[in-house]
Amino acid sequence: MNIAITGGTGFVGQKLTRELIEEGHHVYILTRSPEKHHDTDHTTYIGWLMDGYSPWLELPQIDAFVNLAGESLNSGRWTEDKKRSIMNSRIDATEGVLEIIEKSHVKPNVLVNASAVGFYGKSKTKTFTEETTEPGNDFLANVVAEWEKRASKAANLGVRTAFIRFGIILGEEGALPKMVIPYRLMAGGNLGTGEQWMSWVHVEDVVGLIKLAVKEKSIEGPLNGTAPHPKRNKDFGQTLGEVLNRPHWLPAPAFALKAALGDMSTLLLDGQSVVPKKATEYGYAFKYPELKPALQSILTD
């Protein structure tokens, strides 16, 4: 297949690209910096979201589109400008993908659009599945709801559309290296009360779930991209300490995290328990359904 990916040079995108190439697909990576990359027999870099670039003229017939583009949530304090940037980066990328699809003579079979479990809002007591249709009422929920609303327009163009609501992605990059730092310094512990849920997923299963959504022709709408067993922060931290052979003992008070991070502290202090009901029903076999083996695969030789 010919598969186009936005965000293909990022953490998840690179791993997805490698697996698709190994399966014999040709990957077209849309990037704002095509001059920084070199085409290969199986990858082609195409400029987009820049003046003077018309990617729909350069792309061949695309079988599947995967949109992973969006500004990182943890790359700076959440000022009002930062919040607008978080929202706009996702909307602009999705609208850019829709423009390509609209101008393509032959439409792709599917659009798999990144999303996030932030859709469900915050809760210490509820468990969410794809059957939950009402978004939460906080900033992240609003971002995700708008993101999915834009992506769903592809269905009006006759394109099967799925959006994968990812949890905390565990891998050599992303959030985990930052989580590890206090434990390396013998200062790991609960964040706030430690009762908040952490719906996590190993990056290899992220790639697997994206491929499931591409290949399974009846998957539409939301697909939770989380492992089957979410953990409360206190249990996640305890397991992380065990894997690193470090203590889990020094809590970080909520007031200190809020003072240091402002609104961005919600990423650490709030969460939701999300389970992958739809993926399980489709028979997806998680490589890492349990947390400890997932962490060991990343953090130990």
Side-chain angles (χ1 to χ4, degrees):
M1 289 193 291
N2 289 332
I3 300 177
I5 303 177
T6 68
T9 60
F11 167 42
V12 173
Q14 290 182 58
K15 289 187 177 293
L16 175 62
T17 296
R18 282 196 293 270
E19 284 208 20
L20 293 175
I21 289 171
E22 289 173 2
E23 293 178 359
H25 304 296
H26 193 107
V27 178
Y28 294 83
I29 298 176
L30 278 67
T31 171
R32 294 175 187 266
S33 305
E35 72 283 353
K36 295 181 180 179
H37 306 279
H38 300 285
D39 295 347
T40 70
D41 291 340
H42 301 286
T43 55
T44 302
Y45 294 87
I46 294 176
W48 80 312
L49 296 183
M50 299 181 295
D51 291 340
Y53 283 86
S54 302
W56 53 86
L57 297 178
E58 298 183 49
L59 287 168
Q61 181 177 333
I62 295 297
D63 299 294
F65 228 117
V66 180
N67 179 24
L68 302 174
E71 184 173 335
S72 172
L73 296 177
N74 55 10
S75 61
R77 195 178 180 92
W78 285 4
T79 63
E80 290 305 310
D81 284 345
K82 177 67 173 180
K83 287 181 178 181
R84 280 192 292 272
S85 183
I86 288 171
M87 173 73 86
N88 292 341
S89 69
R90 286 155 175 75
I91 299 306
D92 291 348
T94 304
E95 293 287 359
V97 168
L98 291 171
E99 182 181 21
I100 294 171
I101 292 174
E102 187 173 19
K103 292 185 176 181
S104 300
H105 295 299
V106 180
K107 310 301 184 196
N109 297 318
V110 60
L111 166 63
V112 178
N113 205 82
S115 185
V117 295
F119 174 89
Y120 299 109
K122 313 165 188 173
S123 179
K124 289 185 172 70
T125 59
K126 297 178 182 178
T127 295
F128 299 98
T129 72
E130 294 90 348
E131 294 172 356
T132 303
T133 57
E134 287 298 317
N137 58 5
D138 54 53
F139 168 68
L140 289 179
N142 293 337
V143 169
V144 176
E146 185 62 27
W147 197 7
E148 292 184 358
K149 179 181 176 182
R150 300 300 178 98
S152 66
K153 292 180 180 180
N156 299 331
L157 301 172
V159 177
R160 178 172 65 87
T161 306
F163 20 90
I164 306 185
R165 293 172 180 164
F166 293 122
I168 300 167
I169 299 175
L170 303 182
E172 299 85 357
E173 299 178 46
L176 185 59
K178 295 179 181 179
M179 297 180 195
V180 164
I181 292 172
Y183 289 88
R184 300 281 193 202
L185 298 173
M186 298 292 193
N190 293 349
L191 302 179
T193 65
E195 294 296 324
Q196 66 273 31
W197 285 100
M198 298 177 68
S199 294
W200 61 275
V201 62
H202 193 288
V203 67
E204 290 186 25
D205 282 313
V206 168
V207 171
L209 290 165
I210 292 172
K211 292 195 297 182
L212 175 72
V214 168
K215 295 173 183 178
E216 181 53 65
K217 296 181 180 178
S218 56
I219 290 181
E220 295 185 83
L223 177 70
N224 286 341
T226 60
H229 305 294
K231 293 287 187 182
R232 291 193 187 271
N233 172 261
K234 61 183 180 181
D235 299 318
F236 188 104
Q238 187 70 47
T239 304
L240 181 56
E242 290 174 8
V243 170
L244 294 171
N245 195 27
R246 297 290 194 276
H248 174 84
W249 69 283
L250 186 62
F255 75 85
L257 292 171
K258 290 178 181 178
L261 301 175
D263 288 351
M264 193 173 73
S265 63
T266 188
L267 296 175
L268 304 178
L269 297 173
D270 301 305
Q272 52 286 114
S273 175
V274 179
V275 295
K277 185 172 187 287
K278 190 181 288 188
T280 301
E281 290 173 346
Y282 275 93
Y284 179 76
F286 282 84
K287 292 182 179 180
Y288 295 99
E290 302 289 348
L291 178 61
K292 190 169 185 177
L295 292 173
Q296 288 172 328
S297 75
I298 300 164
L299 298 173
T300 61
D301 294 331

